[in-house]
Amino acid sequence: MRDPVRERGRRGPLPADVLGDGYRERPEADRHAEAVTYSLWVDWFEDPATSATAFAEVLGDDVDRVVTEASEAPLRGARRVLECSGPVRWTVKEPTHRAAVRLPALHPALFHTLRAGFHDVHGDLEPAGAPALLDRLELPADTRHLAELRHVLAAGHRNHYRSPGAWDDAVRSCS
């Protein structure tokens, strides 16, 4: 659950640069990475009031640099942020996805965020945009859940919780 004092402080909303400085480099480091990405996911990305700013500050504004430089620490951070960004609104994360797809090293993380976007309670996918992104990913043919994800997206499903039987149908169809 979010801590409004930590998020908003005693003097109002937390400035975006404080959020960015506090979280931007932490997903790159191995130390505390799991705690940081979990916090991004549940404290910042699940809240529609904070998700766009948080996503822009920790990856969205820097994705072109990350893709161009392709150095290991920023790539590691980008993978981790992408993997926990399922609840970020599609319209917010889609430009970042378009940039990230240019770098095959980020394709597994993009697959993960698409799958998480479908399964997360607050996940958000666009039925037209998500399959197009999925088609651009270079993934091994035996990638676990790839066929099922293709199936639910082709059927126009946006989220597991809005279409509760869709994944089970996909599992049966793809077996």
Side-chain angles (χ1 to χ4, degrees):
M1 181 166 220
R2 289 182 333 196
D3 178 350
V5 173
R6 184 188 71 218
E7 178 181 329
R8 307 238 188 281
R10 296 196 194 311
R11 294 184 204 108
L14 184 64
D17 61 331
V18 173
L19 172 68
D21 291 345
Y23 280 87
R24 184 176 290 118
E25 293 178 12
R26 285 185 173 82
E28 295 177 5
D30 288 329
R31 187 173 180 209
H32 306 298
E34 187 175 336
V36 170
T37 54
Y38 183 78
S39 174
L40 283 170
W41 174 40
V42 300
D43 293 329
W44 299 98
F45 292 168
E46 283 189 346
D47 184 346
T50 60
S51 66
T53 299
F55 187 74
E57 287 295 319
V58 297
L59 179 61
D61 291 348
D62 295 328
V63 71
D64 286 322
R65 179 188 55 78
V66 170
V67 169
T68 302
E69 291 176 9
S71 60
E72 190 51 40
L75 280 174
R76 185 173 44 250
R79 283 185 202 104
R80 289 174 175 159
V81 171
L82 286 168
E83 289 176 356
C84 70
S85 67
V88 177
R89 283 187 327 273
W90 179 261
T91 56
V92 170
K93 61 188 172 187
E94 193 270 336
T96 300
H97 291 170
R98 271 196 327 254
V101 78
R102 298 186 327 239
L103 188 62
L106 292 175
H107 288 190
L110 287 165
F111 172 73
H112 187 93
T113 195
L114 288 172
R115 196 181 73 210
F118 180 76
H119 284 293
D120 192 288
V121 171
H122 301 286
D124 192 41
L125 293 176
E126 170 55 44
L133 176 64
L134 187 58
D135 288 344
R136 294 184 62 195
L137 301 181
E138 296 173 12
L139 300 167
D142 63 347
T143 298
R144 188 168 184 224
H145 302 302
L146 177 59
E148 293 87 349
L149 186 59
R150 284 189 194 286
H151 188 274
V152 295
L153 293 175
H157 299 292
R158 301 175 72 96
N159 182 280
H160 177 86
Y161 295 91
R162 294 180 193 146
S163 306
W167 191 260
D168 292 337
D169 291 343
V171 169
R172 282 190 294 278
S173 294
C174 297
S175 296

